[in-house]
């Protein structure tokens, strides 16, 4: 049995887009030519799609075949590049955002290995990055896998590599303006404000979980438009309290200040990659990243001060 790479490529393009018409456009084929390639592939490996009015859906056999099909195409491209002595493609890494710990980790890696070429992206949304990983558009992504809407997709691996302890940003003239430490009862008296508009789903779930476990009222109104807007809102509203990562820098606005939290929420940063990585630099980056072992108590996966211990 032999597989035709053109047929495999037609299958993967259709699986990614769930549409034969869109896949045909992406591959610069007529829809008839695309359909013919997929039919020939199905004659070899079995039925891969169920076709209906809403588009195409993978059969169980198609779902099993998809990871291997991606790997086959990646291997073929790597073999061609090696034969042609082409320069190594950049290592494609999504670091979530420009203010966060993953970017600092990758920068340190790039400084250590000057011959490594890294191409960064910042989706600020782990579910979107996971889709790109599965499509082989990324080699590595960072984010909070504990607070995804569902389980980590099959074929992906994750390890905890950093945590970001968060503090409270308060208005100096507000009821908590002179506090030296804030506990749940203090927050409950004021209400925790975190704008969810535009926030990633894993960040929203993390904040909801923290507030629920500590019985802290939560206000999620407004749009997450960056740190400057966050600081400006607290500065203009004496009763506002929000979570803030001290690594973002001391706010320039003198109307606000940072106060430690007890227990302090720690946002977890997981490195996520495919189980069969192809890029030769990825293993070196994974070896370079630190490893942190979360302690899980009675199934509770809160990452608080007393529940995260360096490995």
């Amino acid at each position: 049995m032999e597989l035709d790479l053109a047929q495999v490529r037609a299958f993967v393009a259709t699986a990614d887009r769930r549409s034969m018409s869109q896949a045909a456009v992406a591959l610069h084929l007529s829809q008839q030519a695309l359909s013919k390639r997929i039919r020939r592939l199905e004659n070899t490996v079995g039925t891969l799609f169920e076709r209906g009015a809403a588009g195409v859906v993978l059969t169980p056999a198609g779902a099993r075949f998809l990871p291997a099909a991606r790997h086959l195409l990646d291997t073929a491209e790597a073999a061609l590049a090696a034969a042609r002595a082409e320069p190594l493609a950049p290592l494609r890494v999504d670091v979530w955002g420009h203010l966060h710990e993953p970017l600092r980790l990758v920068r340190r890696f790039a400084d250590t290995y000057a011959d490594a070429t890294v191409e960064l992206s910042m989706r600020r949304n782990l579910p979107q990055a996971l889709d790109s990983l599965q499509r082989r558009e990324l080699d590595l992504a960072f984010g909070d896998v504990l607070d995804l809407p569902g389980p980590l997709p099959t074929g992906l691996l994750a390890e905890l590599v950093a945590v970001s302890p968060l503090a409270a940003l308060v208005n100096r003239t507000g009821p908590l303006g002179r506090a030296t430490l804030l506990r749940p009862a203090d927050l409950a008296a004021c209400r925790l404000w975190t704008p969810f508009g535009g926030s990633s789903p894993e960040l929203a779930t993390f904040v909801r979980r923290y507030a629920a476990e500590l019985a802290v009222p939560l206000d999620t109104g407004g749009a997450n438009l960056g740190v400057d807007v966050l600081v400006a809102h607290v500065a203009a509203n004496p009763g506002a309290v929000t979570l803030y990562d001290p690594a973002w820098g001391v706010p320039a606005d003198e109307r606000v200040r940072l106060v430690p939290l007890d227990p302090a929420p720690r946002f977890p940063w997981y490195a996520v990659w495919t189980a069969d990585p192809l890029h030769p630099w990825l293993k070196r980056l994974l070896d370079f990243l630190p490893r942190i072992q979360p302690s899980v108590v009675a199934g509770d996966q809160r990452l608080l001060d007393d529940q995260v211990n360096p490995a």
Side-chain angles (χ1 to χ4, degrees):
M1 181 184 296
E2 294 184 359
L3 293 177
D4 184 307
L5 288 180
Q7 296 171 9
V8 175
R9 189 169 287 106
F11 162 71
V12 171
T14 303
D16 284 343
R17 293 162 180 81
R18 297 294 192 268
S19 165
M20 286 195 171
S21 60
Q22 292 180 22
V25 170
L27 295 177
H28 306 288
L29 295 171
S30 68
Q31 190 167 337
Q32 182 180 12
L34 179 86
S35 297
K36 185 179 295 185
R37 291 184 183 184
I38 291 176
R39 281 199 303 271
R40 288 175 176 171
L41 180 62
E42 289 182 318
N43 288 338
T44 302
V45 302
T47 303
L48 300 172
F49 292 113
E50 294 177 354
R51 298 157 177 83
V56 293
V57 178
L58 286 170
T59 64
R64 292 192 299 270
F65 182 60
L66 183 58
R70 294 190 200 280
H71 185 72
L72 181 62
L73 294 178
D74 289 342
T75 301
E77 291 175 5
L80 284 175
R84 295 168 179 169
E86 293 176 352
L88 191 63
L91 182 66
R92 300 160 301 175
V93 181
D94 189 275
V95 294
W96 207 88
H98 70 286
L99 292 174
H100 304 284
E101 184 62 21
L103 178 57
R104 289 185 281 274
L105 291 172
V106 175
R107 280 177 172 167
R108 287 199 288 271
F109 170 77
D111 290 342
T112 303
Y113 297 99
D115 52 337
T117 304
V118 182
E119 180 181 286
L120 297 179
S121 61
M122 300 179 187
R123 287 165 172 78
R124 297 183 69 245
N125 186 310
L126 183 58
Q128 290 182 6
L130 296 183
D131 289 342
S132 296
L133 276 171
Q134 291 180 294
R135 291 194 299 269
R136 298 289 188 165
E137 296 168 358
L138 286 174
D139 299 301
L140 184 72
F142 291 90
D144 173 13
V145 303
L146 295 181
D147 291 302
L148 290 172
L152 196 66
T154 302
L156 298 182
L157 301 176
E159 284 200 40
L160 184 64
V161 297
V163 289
S164 294
L166 304 180
L169 184 71
V170 303
N171 187 298
R172 288 182 182 272
T173 65
L176 304 179
R178 295 185 179 182
T180 57
L181 182 70
L182 294 178
R183 293 187 168 88
D186 302 314
L187 296 177
C190 289
R191 184 178 295 268
L192 185 65
W193 173 72
T194 302
F196 278 3
S199 289
S200 66
E202 76 269 24
L203 177 60
T205 302
F206 172 85
V207 174
R208 286 189 192 279
R209 184 159 53 87
Y210 175 74
E213 289 173 351
L214 301 183
V216 173
L218 182 61
D219 178 3
T220 63
N224 184 350
L225 299 176
V227 173
D228 291 343
V229 174
L230 201 71
V231 171
H233 178 88
V234 175
N237 295 274
V241 183
T242 193
L243 297 176
Y244 190 96
D245 185 348
W248 297 342
V250 177
D253 196 314
E254 295 183 354
R255 294 173 294 175
V256 301
R257 60 186 290 263
L258 292 178
V259 182
L261 288 164
D262 180 23
R266 295 188 172 214
F267 189 83
W269 294 109
Y270 283 79
V272 189
W273 68 98
T274 57
D276 55 348
L278 290 176
H279 201 291
W281 275 104
L282 181 56
K283 184 179 185 306
R284 190 167 294 184
L285 174 54
L286 292 172
D287 290 342
F288 180 86
L289 293 172
R291 295 294 191 275
I292 296 176
Q293 178 63 47
S295 174
V296 179
V297 180
D300 185 352
Q301 293 181 316
R302 288 181 301 168
L303 289 173
L304 305 179
D305 272 337
D306 59 345
Q307 291 179 288
V308 176
N309 302 297

